[in-house]
């Protein structure tokens, strides 16, 4: 499991056990391989859109498509994007721990 963000390996394993599907669109994600669509690849997603990014409590796993679409936008702003509106992604559709982060930090 590649980890360029300074996350402790044991914490990253916990995150992968918790987030088996994209936290936003709920798609089952795949490993990064040439024969799989990039939009289905898993990615490390930082709920906080500004550094520091190595805090395990602000890291989730989402698909490449959602991560790419969000970029460095605040989650609440991203929820208003065409991408999210077309896919019914919003505060009501995310896991409770993502909702709590948004409530506490945005």
């Amino acid at each position: 499991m590649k980890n360029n963000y300074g996350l402790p390996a044991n914490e990253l394993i916990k995150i992968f056990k918790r987030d088996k599907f994209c936290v936003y669109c709920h798609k089952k994600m795949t490993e990064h391989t040439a024969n799989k669509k990039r939009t289905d690849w898993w990615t490390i997603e930082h709920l906080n859109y500004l550094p520091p990014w190595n805090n395990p409590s602000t890291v989730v796993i989402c698909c490449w498509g959602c991560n790419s679409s969000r970029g460095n936008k605040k989650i609440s702003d991203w929820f208003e994007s065409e991408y999210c509106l077309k896919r019914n992604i919003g505060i009501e559709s995310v896991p409770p721990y993502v909702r709590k982060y948004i409530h506490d930090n945005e």
Side-chain angles (χ1 to χ4, degrees):
M1 207 175 300
K2 190 168 174 137
N3 176 3
N4 294 329
Y5 301 101
L7 294 167
N10 64 326
E11 292 295 327
L12 195 56
I13 289 168
K14 288 179 194 175
I15 293 165
F16 270 93
K17 284 183 179 180
R18 180 192 67 200
D19 300 340
K20 297 191 182 300
F21 297 90
C22 175
V23 297
Y24 299 124
C25 72
H26 312 290
K27 147 190 335 183
K28 180 137 178 80
M29 298 166 288
T30 65
E31 291 293 325
H32 302 191
T33 59
N35 63 343
K36 301 288 183 177
K37 289 187 341 186
R38 182 189 296 194
T39 55
D40 295 342
W41 292 355
W42 63 262
T43 62
I44 293 174
E45 162 75 332
H46 300 91
L47 298 175
N48 51 329
Y49 66 104
L50 298 170
W53 292 315
N54 61 349
N55 181 345
S57 69
T58 64
V59 172
V60 296
I61 305 300
C62 75
C63 71
W64 187 90
C66 286
N67 199 339
S68 177
S69 170
R70 179 174 169 221
N72 63 356
K73 300 175 194 83
K74 290 172 80 172
I75 298 173
S76 55
D77 292 341
W78 178 61
F79 285 162
E80 297 174 14
S81 72
E82 185 177 339
Y83 180 93
C84 289
L85 295 173
K86 281 184 175 181
R87 292 163 179 78
N88 295 315
I89 298 170
I91 191 77
E92 314 81 30
S93 67
V94 297
Y97 49 92
V98 176
R99 254 182 265 142
K100 180 175 178 1
Y101 172 84
I102 295 167
H103 179 266
D104 294 349
N105 296 283
E106 289 198 15

